Amino acid sequence: MYERREALALVADEAARARAGTGRLVLLRGATGTGRTALLEAATEHAEAHGMRVLRVRCSTGGSATGAPLAVVEQLLSPLHELSTSPPPGSSAEATGALDESLPAAARLWRSLSAYAAEGPVLVAVDDVHLADEDSRCWLIEAARRVDRLPLLLVVTERSQYDVDPPSAGLVHTLSPSLVRTHTLAPLSRDAAAELVRSAVGDDVPEKWVTDYVRAGAGNPLLLRALLEDLNATSAAPAALPETCAALYPGAYPAAVSWWLDCAGAATAEAARVLAALDELPGGADVDVFAETADALGADPARVRGWLTAMPRLGMLRFGDDGLPRYAHPLLRDAVLTGWCAADRQAAHGAAAEAMLRRGVPTATVAQLLLRSGTMGEVWATEVLLDAAGGAVNDDRTDDAVVLLRQALDEPMSDGRRAEVLTELGSLEFAAVRSSTGIPRLTEAMRLPGLPQYRVQAAVALGTALARRGETRAAVTLLRDLDGQLTDHPDLLRTVQTASALLSDHDQMIREEMYRRLHETAQHSPQALGPAGHALLVRYEATAGLISADAAMKRVRTLLSEPAGPLAEPFLLGTAAAVAQWADELDEAERLTDRGLTGQRPTLLHPMHEALLNVRADIAAARGDYGQLLSDPESWRRDGVGSGAGTGDGPGFGGFGFRFGLEWAAGGGDGKAKAESGISTGSGAGTGTGTGTSNGNGNGPTNVEAHVLLALVETGRVDEAWQLADAFDLREAHDSWELNRFLYARGVVRAASGDPAGALGDFLECGRRQSARDVLSPVVTPWRAAAAQCQLTLGHHQEALALAEEELRLARVWNTPRLVGRSLRILGTATGGRHGLDLTDEAVRILRAAAVETELIPALIARGRQLTAAGERTRARKSLREAAERAELLGAVRLRTAADESLREGGARSTTTTLTASERRIAELAVEGRTNTEIAELLHVARRTVETHLTSAYRKLGIRRRGELTAALGRVPGADSPSNRP
């Protein structure tokens, strides 16, 4: 009897008074499960031990429902039945009235009890009097007024708990306080509950376990003992609480919680379960939302708020730091939800969701509630789920968006709306979570009746998915089959034709066929193409070396000024952005990219969505922003390879922004089996080996890998570049422009590794494939320039010269400083002598005037080397030092190293050993003993940035290891300037 001594003492005192001839009523009140019955049993045992006779009865709803008057009193006094048929010894019938059938039943029963008490002290124990029939309650109240002169003690227990439904009047509300002694049983204190737990499980259990047991038991002896019973039955040794009641056996605890709810009444049980459902949500249970929900379900909001106030005092609830009510323990909350029937749950969740919407709760939170409630069958629920799915996509929570969209499909919506949702869901499942259900959903979306634009939207997404799987002809055929259905919708027809042309970039033969049709349409029915189709022709002419950058931009800007439908606009913007980036109009390309991405729904599979991301990546590459391209090295080292569609032979790096890595997603073996690439051909071509990897759709490497390879080489991380380059078996890759770009990038890795023959093979193979697609201009991939450099290294000067001259010819057609300057540099190097130096000087002038830093630095290095060869060492050093300084600022480690090597080869010292502010700061932290990871966290930079700065510092200081930093730092001046400080 934990913490019940005061109550026992009270009963003992009153029992003593009764034995002395002065009876009284003792009322023991308490909430369900607080031990009223156990206390009453203890009281009767005490009374019997002190010579009192005991009459007892336990009231129940079943007993009072019989309709018999005085049913409880009759049951209580049934042992005295003999008194009702014959007078007690020494008594007369007149004295007891027991045989007087003319008396009312209540009077006869009272006289029987009085006569029984006259023989000796009696304790009458009535348990759960609140369940007694009304006549019996009245009889007990009247008895309480008469026992003060009898050796008769009435001990009654009564449930006293705040419920949502207003309770009936208590037993003693009409009695004088002098006739009643009342004691209210409080929940167990934390110390008493912990003592009870330890008595059951031992003293060696962790304190956290004890705290969890106590909270789940809510200080309620009934719940706590039931919980301990389940835990002891489940395991011979004490264990931590499970997360759900499903793990409890034999289930005494959830049964006890269910009993507690039943005793509280239907309204309280409903409120408790609604609160539990809200408590499950990330934001918790808002009091106003809870009250409104209860009101919608028919409960009095004021009583609900009162219940919230009362329950923490009983230990069932607690208010968190945010002021919101929560169950004392998650297991208690789960037990409250156990057994909640689906219909009631759905009704409560629906009412709560509507209340949350009225209160302005974010739809993401409301949707979490709807996900737990099953199908609501309401249009508003559909919109909530779809809105939350859109928010999840914007927050990069793709898995959450998929779950929300799947739930939304079970709600009512029109065929057109369903087609939209199916398209979005299928796109996400295919592109983001790699689910096989993506394509069937997109197919279903196409077949639904509704507006044609929904069918076109689904068809473009489905075609994009098929093309990524290497089924380009199926994708183009799918879109072509729509032509006959769109004769009355010319804008949609133009969109489908544009999408077909873009998707055909994944296959050389289909691409040739599609662009022939585009040219024929442009000649005979130019209005049938629309701005987006004409922009594609501009792009084609740019890659084929048939148009200048100025002419292309003039035509593109004109096309941008023409009206375009919402479905066609992404194609126009993406194509225009690609052309602008090639034309070195980087700011304009960036604006077009941002505009295009802002206007697109990122949930949809769309070739131009990735094309715009490609342009964004190419802009970073053109500016030499290697930090952006390699901003999350852990993602591309380990995670699944991303897939990208891009714009065909366009700006670049499909799938940029998706994570990718080196693991072999295709499975089989240990994922490390080497495979000959079988791709590189041509003179001196090497064969690459790889661990094999997959981009999720089996398309082989994407442009994002190509871009990362180039960025790794430029930042001096050739070993990591080889790790990535070796990760692909190119024999399994589909024939696409992405493969061509990867071949070029792998050639750069080989050249940087001192394998000019292998690099030449990759460059020439890239060129062969590009030329077969009519992609001749170096605006896409400067493979001729790279191949010429390899030919020079191998001593093949005539071959190098031919390649360089052709590169310059095509570069002058496009005529941007980047292309012309690069081509002049290569041709100058291949030509040699004074004429070659003049060509390189011209390259430097053009690139410096245009501020094309990524090409100016190698041009300065080339000029420095030529000047050194010509004996003009002073000019050579100036050029090389300028190159080294610019490379340092750009973070181009490879070019910085090349400049330093050229300086040393020319007899000059390396460039200044002065550390930048960032290098010195990082070096000083390293001297203090901090790890690279700790330095990165302290300075809020990437760990790779720390490694790059330390590598640069080692080179400048002429050291090779961390332990030499302390001495070396004392020999060099500080940072270059205050403006360089981090």
Side-chain angles (χ1 to χ4, degrees):
M1 300 298 293
Y2 289 91
E3 296 185 328
R4 300 297 183 249
R5 293 180 181 176
E6 183 180 350
L8 286 172
L10 169 64
V11 175
D13 289 344
E14 293 303 322
R17 285 169 51 87
R19 290 195 299 273
T22 304
R24 186 137 47 182
L25 171 63
V26 175
L27 177 62
L28 302 176
R29 302 191 305 178
T32 300
T34 50
R36 300 188 311 269
T37 299
L39 181 59
L40 188 61
E41 290 294 331
T44 59
E45 290 176 6
H46 178 275
E48 288 175 335
H50 288 77
M52 298 184 72
R53 292 170 295 168
V54 175
L55 297 173
R56 70 190 76 192
V57 66
R58 177 170 296 166
C59 306
S60 66
T61 53
S64 61
T66 61
L70 297 168
V72 169
V73 179
E74 291 279 10
Q75 183 181 353
L76 173 71
L77 300 182
S78 60
L80 307 183
H81 182 69
E82 292 298 325
L83 294 178
S84 64
T85 57
S86 60
S91 300
S92 65
E94 290 77 5
T96 64
L99 300 178
D100 190 348
E101 295 295 335
S102 63
L103 289 175
R108 292 199 310 272
L109 292 171
W110 169 249
R111 289 198 176 188
S112 295
L113 179 59
S114 300
Y116 188 61
E119 299 177 5
V122 178
L123 184 143
V124 174
V126 182
D127 197 13
D128 290 339
V129 72
H130 53 282
L131 301 178
D133 60 278
E134 188 59 29
D135 289 339
S136 294
R137 287 166 58 85
C138 292
W139 188 92
L140 290 169
I141 292 171
E142 189 61 30
R145 294 190 175 100
R146 301 182 180 186
V147 297
D148 57 337
R149 296 184 181 180
L150 293 174
L152 178 61
L153 178 63
L154 297 176
V155 183
V156 177
T157 70
E158 183 177 54
R159 182 178 180 277
S160 177
Q161 181 175 311
Y162 194 101
D163 296 322
V164 173
D165 282 335
S168 58
L171 181 70
V172 301
H173 77 287
T174 61
L175 291 177
S176 169
S178 62
L179 301 177
V180 184
R181 293 293 302 276
T182 301
H183 182 86
T184 301
L185 304 180
L188 296 179
S189 67
R190 198 274 177 198
D191 289 342
E195 183 181 350
L196 193 158
V197 169
R198 289 194 176 92
S199 69
V201 300
D203 294 330
D204 297 333
V205 296
E207 185 63 27
K208 182 184 183 306
W209 290 10
V210 175
T211 300
D212 285 343
Y213 293 165
V214 170
R215 286 184 175 176
N220 187 296
L222 171 70
L223 302 186
L224 192 51
R225 291 188 182 279
L227 177 61
L228 293 172
E229 177 185 341
D230 280 343
L231 294 174
N232 290 336
T234 303
S235 174
L241 284 186
E243 295 183 359
T244 67
C245 292
L248 296 176
Y249 178 82
Y253 177 74
V257 173
S258 179
W259 168 256
W260 188 91
L261 291 172
D262 289 343
C263 292
T268 300
E270 189 80 353
R273 284 165 173 151
V274 170
L275 179 65
L278 295 176
D279 190 15
E280 283 186 307
L281 300 179
D286 180 88
V287 173
D288 294 327
V289 169
F290 176 55
E292 286 192 32
T293 303
D295 185 21
L297 295 173
D300 182 354
R303 295 288 302 179
V304 169
R305 291 179 183 274
W307 183 80
L308 282 179
T309 302
M311 287 304 100
R313 302 175 72 90
L314 293 182
M316 304 297 291
L317 303 180
R318 60 185 179 89
F319 282 88
D321 295 336
D322 53 7
L324 298 179
R326 288 185 168 84
Y327 277 90
H329 192 275
L331 189 66
L332 177 58
R333 178 187 65 205
D334 186 68
V336 169
L337 290 171
T338 299
W340 199 11
C341 74
D344 291 345
R345 180 190 294 262
Q346 190 174 61
H349 283 181
E354 291 186 282
M356 292 165 77
L357 289 175
R358 288 194 297 269
R359 302 292 304 182
V361 175
T363 54
T365 303
V366 181
Q368 290 299 314
L369 184 62
L370 294 178
L371 288 176
R372 292 173 167 85
S373 63
T375 305
M376 296 298 301
E378 300 286 349
V379 174
W380 64 263
T382 306
E383 296 308 313
V384 166
L385 292 166
L386 294 180
D387 186 69
V393 170
N394 292 333
D395 294 340
D396 292 327
R397 294 182 288 107
T398 304
D399 290 344
D400 290 345
V402 168
V403 172
L404 290 163
L405 289 172
R406 287 173 179 169
Q407 179 82 357
L409 284 177
D410 293 333
E411 302 292 347
M413 62 183 77
S414 65
D415 286 336
R417 189 61 159 153
R418 185 170 298 278
E420 282 189 293
V421 175
L422 283 168
T423 302
E424 292 192 13
L425 178 56
S427 298
L428 281 176
E429 288 177 332
F430 179 85
V433 299
R434 312 297 183 210
S435 171
S436 59
T437 60
I439 287 182
R441 289 196 199 277
L442 295 172
T443 304
E444 181 184 354
M446 279 193 62
R447 293 172 178 170
L448 283 174
L451 296 176
Q453 57 260 39
Y454 297 141
R455 194 175 304 115
V456 169
Q457 200 173 57
V460 170
L462 180 55
T464 304
L466 292 172
R468 289 191 190 176
R469 294 205 314 186
E471 302 174 34
T472 306
R473 184 164 297 279
V476 172
T477 301
L478 168 79
L479 293 172
R480 189 181 299 164
D481 289 345
L482 285 178
D483 290 355
Q485 305 174 34
L486 301 174
T487 52
D488 296 333
H489 304 277
D491 288 344
L492 296 178
L493 182 59
R494 286 193 289 267
T495 297
V496 169
Q497 292 171 343
T498 304
S500 298
L502 275 170
L503 294 177
S504 71
D505 283 332
H506 290 273
D507 184 281
Q508 176 183 326
M509 299 300 296
I510 301 174
R511 180 179 189 272
E512 182 179 348
E513 176 186 344
M514 288 303 304
Y515 277 92
R516 183 176 66 251
R517 290 189 179 187
L518 282 181
H519 281 104
E520 292 173 354
T521 303
Q523 290 175 358
H524 300 98
S525 305
Q527 72 282 356
L529 283 185
H534 283 287
L536 281 180
L537 290 178
V538 174
R539 191 195 71 165
Y540 177 87
E541 292 174 14
T543 60
L546 302 175
I547 191 173
S548 70
D550 287 343
M553 286 306 299
K554 182 177 180 180
R555 287 171 58 184
V556 162
R557 287 169 179 145
T558 300
L559 292 171
L560 286 169
S561 66
E562 298 178 10
L567 292 182
E569 186 178 47
F571 294 100
L572 175 60
L573 292 173
T575 306
V579 174
Q581 187 272 317
W582 292 335
D584 277 340
E585 299 289 348
L586 300 185
D587 291 341
E588 184 172 356
E590 193 167 43
R591 287 193 298 271
L592 289 169
T593 299
D594 292 342
R595 178 180 160 192
L597 290 173
T598 301
Q600 284 198 48
R601 295 170 69 176
T603 51
L604 298 182
L605 270 176
H606 198 291
M608 295 316 297
H609 177 73
E610 304 227 358
L612 289 163
L613 294 174
N614 295 340
V615 177
R616 177 174 286 177
D618 270 356
I619 292 170
R623 290 171 173 165
D625 191 352
Y626 307 121
Q628 177 181 335
L629 298 174
L630 301 173
S631 58
D632 191 3
E634 297 306 318
S635 66
W636 56 260
R637 281 175 177 172
R638 292 195 300 265
D639 294 345
V641 176
S643 170
T647 59
D649 297 295
F653 300 88
F656 182 77
F658 284 89
R659 295 186 168 215
F660 65 98
L662 304 181
E663 288 85 352
W664 192 3
D670 62 358
K672 297 295 182 181
K674 295 288 183 176
E676 295 295 328
S677 70
I679 285 291
S680 296
T681 61
S683 175
T687 56
T689 59
T691 58
T693 191
S694 169
N695 64 357
N697 295 324
N699 290 348
T702 66
N703 269 309
V704 73
E705 284 88 13
H707 220 320
V708 169
L709 283 181
L710 296 173
L712 288 171
V713 170
E714 292 304 323
T715 53
R717 297 156 61 181
V718 178
D719 288 344
E720 292 175 79
W722 266 120
Q723 245 187 324
L724 179 59
D726 278 350
F728 295 92
D729 182 355
L730 299 187
R731 294 175 303 179
E732 298 179 359
H734 298 307
D735 181 17
S736 72
W737 60 271
E738 295 174 287
L739 175 59
N740 302 343
R741 290 300 301 269
F742 188 82
L743 281 169
Y744 171 80
R746 192 177 70 175
V748 171
V749 178
R750 284 179 165 167
S753 303
D755 179 16
L760 179 62
D762 278 346
F763 294 142
L764 293 178
E765 178 65 12
C766 171
R768 183 188 69 78
R769 290 167 175 269
Q770 293 281 64
S771 300
R773 300 165 66 88
D774 288 336
V775 180
L776 305 178
S777 174
V779 71
V780 177
T781 307
W783 64 269
R784 294 182 190 84
Q789 193 71 55
C790 291
Q791 295 281 27
L792 286 174
T793 303
L794 294 169
H796 306 153
H797 294 280
Q798 291 302 316
E799 291 86 345
L801 193 61
L803 287 166
E805 288 174 345
E806 179 66 6
E807 184 86 346
L808 180 59
R809 184 189 71 78
L810 291 168
R812 290 198 184 279
V813 173
W814 186 245
N815 202 32
T816 58
R818 185 183 302 274
L819 264 63
V820 173
R822 179 201 300 142
S823 302
L824 285 169
R825 166 176 61 89
I826 296 297
L827 183 58
T829 302
T831 302
R834 176 52 59 181
H835 181 53
L837 182 57
D838 290 341
L839 291 172
T840 308
D841 276 336
E842 184 183 356
V844 170
R845 286 194 301 272
I846 291 173
L847 294 169
R848 191 194 303 280
V852 184
E853 206 72 8
T854 54
E855 293 297 338
L856 175 58
I857 296 169
L860 287 167
I861 294 172
R863 185 177 69 173
R865 288 171 174 168
Q866 288 176 287
L867 287 169
T868 298
E872 299 183 42
R873 295 182 180 276
T874 300
R875 287 184 62 200
R877 291 170 185 172
K878 182 179 178 181
S879 183
L880 291 170
R881 286 196 169 116
E882 181 185 355
E885 291 170 1
R886 289 178 180 274
E888 184 73 33
L889 293 175
L890 192 64
V893 176
R894 181 184 68 86
L895 293 175
R896 168 61 189 264
T897 302
D900 282 347
E901 289 175 351
S902 296
L903 279 167
R904 287 193 297 272
E905 290 169 1
R909 291 184 302 172
S910 180
T911 53
T912 177
T913 58
T914 300
L915 302 183
T916 65
S918 296
E919 289 168 347
R920 174 169 284 275
R921 175 61 175 150
I922 288 173
E924 289 172 346
L925 291 171
V927 167
E928 293 175 7
R930 299 180 186 270
T931 66
N932 290 358
T933 300
E934 290 172 341
I935 296 172
E937 293 174 352
L938 183 65
L939 299 182
H940 304 291
V941 297
R943 184 174 60 83
R944 172 50 59 182
T945 301
V946 175
E947 295 170 357
T948 301
H949 280 71
L950 280 176
T951 300
S952 178
Y954 291 171
R955 184 182 66 253
K956 290 180 179 181
L957 297 173
I959 63 176
R960 302 182 65 180
R961 57 182 62 88
R962 210 180 193 95
E964 300 176 59
L965 272 174
T966 302
L969 282 178
R971 300 195 302 264
V972 297
D976 292 338
S977 69
S979 64
N980 287 335
R981 292 173 186 168

